Amino acid sequence: MAFNAQNFVTEKTREIKSQVGNDTALCATSGGVDSMVCAFLAHRALGRNLIAVFIDDGLMREGEPKKVTSLLRSRGIRTVLVRASNGFFRALKGKEDPEDMRKAFRDTFYETLGKAVRKYGAKYLIQGTIAADVIETKGKIKSQHNVLAQIGINPRRYGLNVIEPLATLFKPDVRKVGKALRLPSTIHQRMPFPGPGLATRVVGEVTPAKVRLLRKATSIVEREMRNIKAFQTFAVLLDDRATGVRKGKRSFGNIIVVRSVQSKNAMTASPTRVPYAVLERIQKKITSQIPAVTKVLYDISPKPPSTIEYI
Ligand code: XMP
């Protein structure tokens, strides 16, 4: 049977209302499609009894904390911004293994939310985990940051009661729910952005300096690719370096990968056939605006055998 987004909204609104009652719930909102749809759905159910929490973990793209919190507030959603970047960088320090990094992120993320739940006297955490997150985590492909109970981690460990209204849906249906909730199309049609943010795009140890460099490259790639239709488009900072030469002087610089994929539900993906002229322009902008970068590569790998992100 075809998915009916309007019925889904009615049903989930009723469910959330009856579960939370007159208590307060928090909603973890990163600005990605899933967590924004989840926040708007929970707000429809709970009104002032919902508080959206945006954790500034230091791993977001340029300008996101302000953009996301302003949008939520403009729609009448109570919103708090929690500054926690030091804690996230401390947790990621010295970690190079992708799964160690993911687990460190997950721990810090839920500890931060646990603190917020206590601070605001909330009883529940509502989060936008979707079906693909659960499948990939249970399949041990990668531990997505927002999957706990499904892999035997009791959320009470962090002092949390978790509600996941979107857990049975894949991305195309999440977008339909966003549309049914009258979110701006810039949000429900937005590119997915992973909860652990730019940390999934730094290969090797994540440091503030590497994230600053990657954030700049990400802005350039997103801007230059804005007219190219894709499921996701982004930049990656590799752990390797390569010899370069500038004005006759040798340097041993960073390598940025440009990645863009077509996909329906993130379970499989194929590389976007980006016009060569666009790639050339990206290369020029990155190496001129970020002198530490000596090489820019374009990734032509589908999923499988690759995944979309790098860690
Ligand atoms: P992969 O890299 O597994 O990504 O092919 C599939 C989709 O999931 C996103 N992704 C995440 N989203 N938390 C999230 O919220 C995570 O830990 C996470 N890891 C990957 C990725 O951006 C892609 O859309």
Side-chain angles (χ1 to χ4, degrees), residues 194-237:
L198 298 176
T200 63
R201 299 167 182 177
V202 171
V203 184
E205 187 189 15
V206 178
T207 63
K210 286 184 184 174
V211 170
R212 272 197 299 277
L213 188 156
L214 180 61
R215 187 176 287 124
K216 269 193 201 160
T218 302
S219 297
I220 295 170
V221 170
E222 286 191 353
R223 197 175 329 115
E224 295 303 320
M225 294 276 283
R226 66 190 177 279
N227 295 324
I228 308 233
K229 208 169 152 33
F231 181 76
Q232 262 173 297
T233 294
F234 54 90
V236 178
L237 174 62

Side-chain angles (χ1 to χ4, degrees), residues 34 102 105 132-133 136 141-146 171 192-196 200-201 231-232 234 265-267 303 306-311:
D34 309 339
R102 285 178 164 277
F105 179 91
D133 304 338
E136 295 225 320
I141 294 161
K142 52 181 72 174
S143 302
Q144 302 241 3
H145 79 288
N146 51 0
K171 193 75 77 186
F193 186 70
T200 63
R201 299 167 182 177
F231 181 76
Q232 262 173 297
F234 54 90
N265 56 18
M267 300 302 290
K303 173 182 180 176
S306 286
T307 60
I308 296 175
E309 306 290 349
Y310 268 54
I311 72 143

Side-chain angles (χ1 to χ4, degrees), residues 253-290:
N254 294 112
I255 307 174
I256 289 286
V257 175
V258 180
R259 177 106 165 116
S260 177
V261 295
Q262 306 295 314
S263 177
K264 282 205 161 58
N265 56 18
M267 300 302 290
T268 60
S270 58
T272 306
R273 296 190 170 213
V274 184
Y276 201 80
V278 176
L279 292 174
E280 277 183 323
R281 205 164 51 234
I282 291 174
Q283 177 279 323
K284 280 198 189 110
K285 293 244 154 119
I286 291 180
T287 50
S288 63
Q289 290 175 28
I290 317 174

